[in-house]
Amino acid sequence: MSATNTMHGWTGTVLRVNLTTGSITKEPLNAEWARDYVGGRGLGVKYLYEEMEPSVDPLSPENKMIFATGPLTGTNASCGSRYMVVTKGALTNAVTTSNSGGFWGPEMKFAGYDMIILEGKAAQPSYLWVYDDRVELRDATHLWGKTVWQTEEALRAEIGVPDSIIASIGPAGENLVRFACIMNDLHRAAGRSGVGAVMGSKNLKAIALRGTGGVSLADPQAYMEGQWAMKEKLRQSPVTAEGLPMYGTEVLVNVINEHGALPTRNHQQTVFDEAENISGETLTETRLVANKACFSCTIACGRVSTLPGEASSKYSVTTNPQNWKIAGEGPEYEAAWAMGSECGVGDLDALIKANWLCNDLGMDSISFGASVAAAMELFEKGAVSQDQTEIPLEFGSAEALIAMAEKTAYRQGFGDAVAEGSKRMTENFGRPEFFMGVRGQEFAAYEARAIQGMGLGYATSNRGACHLKAYTVAAEILGLPRQMDPRATEEKAEITKVFQDATSTVDATGLCQFLTFGVGLEEMLPQLSAATGVAYTLEELVHIGERIWNLERLWNERAGFTGKDDTLPKRILEEPIPSGPAKGEVNRLGEMLPEYYELRGWEKDGKISEAKKKELGL
Amino acid sequence: MKQLRVLTEKCTSCIQCELACAFVQTGTFQPSRSVIRVHIFDEQAVYAPYTCFQCDEAWCLTACPVNAIGIDPDTDAKVVMDDVCVGCAVCTVACPYGTMFYNPDSHKAFKCDLCGGDPACVKSCPTGALEYVDMDQPDWLASWADKVNRGFQHMQDEEGGNA
């Protein structure tokens, strides 16, 4: 492919590593696919769709993992930090696209690669070391068993390059915890759907990167004008200029709680009376040390928190993060919800510690917290006894939450049951109705009965319940781009589709979704076109998002999913909210789903129509 | 004379300054070519941008065997003259602050030249952690050192407490 050497934005090279054979190859990026799917989530899914049979066991060597950046990853576009892990999810059996920031994605670009594709399974624990064009698969037997933070420290010392950037799995990934994540830069996570378990199943402990190259631009002047314009808009948006920098994502705890939409005690209630204690305001006033930005981010929503004095030793753990007594990142809003109100825990210090444990052990704090919450309901309703759980798994018990973090990552005792995720766990104990999620993945921190559009978004999300695929909370609660009534179902099908498609495009560029609180695709367009030299139009960008969404759906169809899976738990559809501002509400998915299918141009049963496939070139 | 001033407490570690610096020099985003570097001390939550503060002693200039480093009269910046530099890299050893760099592709030394009086890093900083202001002496280094030192002291105390 002659275009390789002249590509801008993209590096033009894909690194392919077969862990079974140890073969390492570099191949030109498929320029046609790059144009049609951009990068990141889009390009990763396209490669996975073309290369892999979707029916494979996600934890088998036949599953592939793709680490994909976008053309704006590694640029100074705020916030061009993102990479996407695309694979078949261990938690969901569906296609998953787990996104992370920090500095790892840009370093991959500087080393010279748009994507790293991993195949097969290593015979022994291994790590991949990429230093520009030098790529080595090395033994990691001595690292196996180490936590994420220990691994970063030991590996960086071993390779002797202080500026190296590391992504790794912790004990949770090694032990195939179904919601294990991949951590980079100590505290940043490609969090959901069990991508860390997939990496663990391949015997791959870590990928360490150092890149000294750069990202080139097709039209530097036009690009620079575009990025200045976007940064100016971000400076003017109340969310990106004030809310997120001041309180981080945790700013949402009080806001969502006041709407009666903060799921509490495994969705048995939707108002948490201790919300103030775990809010962004409290975190900022009592435990915040600094804001931390990802690569090139002008928002800097990251929270560095601390546990001073007695708070540090309040809950004892055996894997005490000794190196990080002073400060660590988080918790973010979703983590504070899952481990906080969903488990009935109102002690911020417990959440900070549990969040650090999740990061250090390499677990998705959302699915972990939500699975513990489901276990607590099993305990409350007598479906499991204290003989089985060993500790009283009572709602509100911070001790139980923290103990379960360690037990789950190491699959000790009842942790072995929790490690399967709440869908499998509740089925195993005969109470599947306590699973709060879609396609095997637990909900995020927004009650679908109180925010109707989120119900449709959860039900139709290709990677299982997720807040990052169509964040209609922006419109329904925050009034962006316009205020919609969260209790109404009118227009929700349309806004869900629009958000799903636009978000897919943002995820393909390498930019962070948080930008969309302040800017839209029209602000990203000039940078994308000037960086890549491809004269995209706004219509094309929307079209690309729709293409990505449909390709993911098509992949899932081939993996065995149908329209019947576009549904919500019985509690959300039939049990009215017992109290609070949204009292009496259920999610009226039936009013939205047929309209959504129609807008999508799909069949009445949710199957993608031949006409739509043809239109999108699938 | 104006000088570059670093306010570490405002830095969030986004490295926009590194990207701006690399862009000015190479037209690409290549942080390995930046002459301003943000040092990230995760354990202390300290983020410290660090670059040449154009010291009066100018060891780089003194050490250069071919007189390839001069002083810009407008900005007081010590500037490498590419056509004179022979790439011996003695300046990178002479500089006590580690702010002289060597480009393995062009075989030349390179350093901060204050962008001729309009530093790109300052313009790029979203939080105002970098300023280009009139100062009598480069006192910003003191605050930088103090902050790092505090983190180090804290670490020492913790280690001592555990022993």
Side-chain angles (χ1 to χ4, degrees):
Chain A
M1 203 187 312
S2 60
T4 303
N5 294 331
T6 57
M7 282 185 110
H8 298 289
W10 299 287
T11 67
T13 304
V14 176
L15 178 63
R16 187 182 296 272
V17 178
N18 187 307
L19 298 162
T20 307
T21 65
S23 91
I24 294 167
T25 50
K26 292 156 198 171
E27 59 192 47
L29 183 71
N30 186 316
E32 191 185 327
W33 293 355
R35 204 172 48 236
D36 291 349
Y37 291 88
V38 184
R41 179 173 160 194
L43 203 50
V45 171
K46 176 65 175 171
Y47 268 77
L48 196 75
Y49 183 87
E50 296 292 339
E51 291 192 4
M52 196 181 103
E53 166 58 46
S55 63
V56 304
D57 179 341
L59 297 178
S60 70
E62 287 72 38
N63 194 8
K64 292 193 185 191
M65 293 189 90
I66 301 178
F67 292 75
T69 65
L72 294 178
T73 306
T75 69
N76 77 339
S78 189
C79 324
S81 70
R82 313 304 291 192
Y83 73 94
M84 193 69 81
V85 183
V86 182
T87 187
K88 182 168 181 172
L91 186 67
T92 56
N93 283 323
V95 66
T96 191
T97 52
S98 271
N99 189 286
S100 182
F103 293 76
W104 195 86
E107 201 71 17
M108 193 206 294
K109 294 282 289 286
F110 301 144
Y113 311 100
D114 293 305
M115 299 201 286
I116 299 175
I117 303 179
L118 299 172
E119 307 171 341
K121 175 184 178 176
Q124 63 194 45
S126 305
Y127 74 89
L128 190 69
W129 166 225
V130 180
Y131 193 164
D132 292 331
D133 53 357
R134 273 174 26 214
V135 184
E136 288 174 50
L137 196 58
R138 292 180 172 180
D139 178 49
T141 311
H142 56 298
L143 297 172
W144 208 254
K146 285 194 191 301
T147 67
V148 167
W149 300 348
Q150 290 166 341
T151 301
E152 284 211 20
E153 195 175 9
L155 190 49
R156 195 167 284 118
E158 175 179 319
I159 58 187
V161 178
D163 289 339
S164 52
I165 310 281
I166 294 164
S168 65
I169 56 168
E174 296 173 7
N175 295 323
L176 309 183
V177 173
R178 292 265 174 193
F179 44 81
C181 61
I182 297 169
M183 301 294 304
N184 58 280
D185 300 281
L186 304 175
H187 303 285
R188 292 278 133 200
R192 302 218 70 189
S193 316
V195 292
V198 177
M199 191 153 149
S201 76
K202 300 194 169 308
N203 261 336
L204 189 70
K205 180 67 177 171
I207 303 178
L209 303 172
R210 173 62 184 149
T212 61
V215 177
S216 71
L217 306 164
D219 184 344
Q221 196 182 339
Y223 170 86
M224 288 306 264
E225 283 166 16
Q227 62 89 27
W228 283 125
M230 186 162 89
K231 283 175 187 161
E232 186 52 41
K233 282 218 163 183
L234 292 173
R235 264 195 291 275
Q236 290 163 5
S237 149
V239 181
T240 54
E242 291 162 29
L244 284 172
M246 185 148 339
Y247 296 120
T249 53
E250 268 264 86
V251 70
L252 286 166
V253 171
N254 282 333
V255 176
I256 301 298
N257 196 49
E258 279 158 19
H259 278 82
L262 191 68
T264 300
R265 297 179 190 87
N266 205 33
H267 285 67
Q268 296 185 82
Q269 296 96 34
T270 68
V271 178
F272 186 44
D273 49 14
E274 295 175 78
E276 182 64 36
N277 296 345
I278 62 167
S279 67
E281 290 83 344
T282 303
L283 176 69
T284 301
E285 282 160 25
T286 64
R287 296 291 181 253
L288 183 75
V289 181
N291 284 19
K292 175 130 197 278
C294 292
F295 177 97
S296 82
C297 178
T298 59
I299 301 172
C301 71
R303 313 270 87 186
V304 181
S305 51
T306 187
L307 287 175
E310 283 178 12
S312 155
S313 51
K314 198 150 70 177
Y315 302 103
S316 68
V317 288
T318 55
T319 53
N320 202 13
Q322 287 163 1
N323 295 339
W324 278 264
K325 280 191 286 267
I326 302 168
E329 280 182 53
E332 300 290 333
Y333 168 64
E334 306 293 334
W337 160 75
M339 301 189 290
S341 66
E342 187 72 334
C343 291
V345 175
D347 179 348
L348 182 61
D349 291 339
L351 301 186
I352 290 173
K353 191 158 234 175
N355 187 67
W356 288 357
L357 278 171
C358 282
N359 287 356
D360 195 24
L361 299 169
M363 284 191 294
D364 170 24
S365 49
I366 304 178
S367 281
F368 165 69
S371 294
V372 170
M376 285 172 165
E377 188 168 8
L378 287 173
F379 186 83
E380 184 183 75
K381 303 284 161 64
V384 293
S385 66
Q386 194 166 330
D387 286 346
Q388 290 165 296
T389 60
E390 296 164 343
I391 47 172
L393 265 185
E394 282 158 356
F395 280 114
S397 169
E399 288 81 4
L401 175 76
I402 285 169
M404 286 317 297
E406 295 187 295
K407 285 174 181 286
T408 301
Y410 292 101
R411 284 187 176 267
Q412 293 163 344
F414 194 70
D416 194 35
V418 175
E420 286 298 295
S422 50
K423 180 167 192 288
R424 290 173 176 85
M425 176 184 66
T426 53
E427 281 169 1
N428 290 342
F429 291 105
R431 302 300 291 271
E433 69 273 22
F434 294 163
F435 164 60
M436 292 296 123
V438 174
R439 285 184 187 79
Q441 180 158 291
E442 293 79 7
F443 286 126
Y446 311 91
E447 172 58 58
R449 287 171 289 185
I451 310 173
Q452 293 292 328
M454 284 307 283
L456 180 62
Y458 287 143
T460 58
S461 163
N462 291 319
R463 74 153 173 179
C466 177
H467 59 295
L468 293 169
K469 303 301 167 188
Y471 195 73
T472 59
V473 172
E476 294 178 275
I477 303 290
L478 305 174
L480 298 168
R482 67 188 168 89
Q483 186 67 52
M484 296 176 84
D485 178 3
R487 310 272 188 271
T489 55
E490 289 80 28
E491 298 184 279
K492 295 300 167 66
E494 188 188 356
I495 190 96
T496 300
K497 177 187 179 296
V498 168
F499 276 31
Q500 284 173 340
D501 292 348
T503 304
S504 301
T505 306
V506 176
D507 281 345
T509 60
L511 298 177
C512 175
Q513 283 185 19
F514 282 9
L515 293 178
T516 57
F517 289 118
V519 299
L521 285 175
E522 52 273 38
E523 281 84 10
M524 301 177 197
L525 171 67
Q527 293 166 91
L528 188 64
S529 291
T532 59
V534 178
Y536 289 111
T537 64
L538 197 56
E539 292 70 33
E540 275 175 296
L541 288 192
V542 174
H543 201 61
I544 283 168
E546 189 183 8
R547 183 182 294 132
I548 295 167
W549 190 265
N550 278 269
L551 188 67
E552 288 176 348
R553 175 94 175 177
L554 198 56
W555 196 99
N556 279 350
E557 279 186 6
R558 285 174 49 191
F561 288 94
T562 68
K564 289 199 179 71
D565 298 296
D566 298 336
T567 189
L568 297 167
K570 197 170 158 224
R571 177 169 289 166
I572 307 301
L573 293 174
E574 294 177 14
E575 289 178 23
I577 291 175
S579 58
K583 186 181 176 187
E585 295 283 342
V586 294
N587 186 275
R588 306 195 298 281
L589 182 65
E591 294 174 16
M592 300 179 282
L593 197 58
E595 186 190 352
Y596 172 83
Y597 284 166
E598 196 181 333
L599 283 167
R600 279 266 172 229
W602 297 344
E603 311 282 353
K604 284 194 165 43
D605 62 357
K607 205 168 180 312
I608 302 174
S609 65
E610 291 307 317
K612 183 51 80 176
K613 285 185 208 168
K614 204 172 168 191
E615 179 199 322
L616 295 168
L618 300 175
Chain B
M1 193 71 78
K2 278 187 171 181
Q3 299 193 29
L4 205 64
R5 182 186 172 90
V6 180
L7 306 161
T8 49
E9 60 277 17
K10 289 188 177 178
C11 178
T12 63
S13 85
C14 75
I15 76 165
Q16 280 286 345
C17 53
E18 291 190 24
L19 295 166
C21 180
F23 184 81
V24 165
Q25 297 179 70
T26 68
T28 69
F29 297 114
Q30 186 177 10
S32 68
R33 288 294 154 77
S34 172
V35 297
I36 184 165
R37 303 279 167 100
V38 180
H39 294 254
I40 299 175
F41 300 91
D42 270 309
E43 293 162 48
Q44 289 78 29
V46 170
Y47 318 112
Y50 186 60
T51 187
C52 173
F53 63 99
Q54 317 297 344
C55 67
D56 288 339
E57 296 83 357
W59 296 98
C60 57
L61 183 152
T62 314
C64 181
V66 295
N67 293 328
I69 299 176
I71 300 178
D72 183 333
D74 296 331
T75 62
D76 206 27
K78 283 61 182 181
V79 181
V80 180
M81 290 171 279
D82 267 356
D83 49 344
V84 186
C85 176
V86 294
C88 72
V90 165
C91 56
T92 65
V93 183
C95 173
Y97 304 103
T99 53
M100 285 292 320
F101 300 89
Y102 179 73
N103 181 340
D105 297 332
S106 66
H107 304 289
K108 305 281 183 193
F110 65 108
K111 71 178 293 295
C112 174
D113 61 2
L114 293 172
C115 295
D118 188 17
C121 54
V122 173
K123 270 190 292 191
S124 74
C125 181
T127 61
L130 299 173
E131 293 176 346
Y132 188 53
V133 289
D134 280 311
M135 276 195 298
D136 293 337
Q137 54 193 21
D139 61 347
W140 62 263
L141 199 65
S143 80
W144 187 87
D146 180 57
K147 195 164 180 183
V148 173
N149 199 39
R150 261 187 292 128
F152 180 72
Q153 199 61 49
H154 194 115
M155 208 162 57
Q156 294 285 92
D157 293 347
E158 293 278 328
E159 275 167 15
N162 284 347

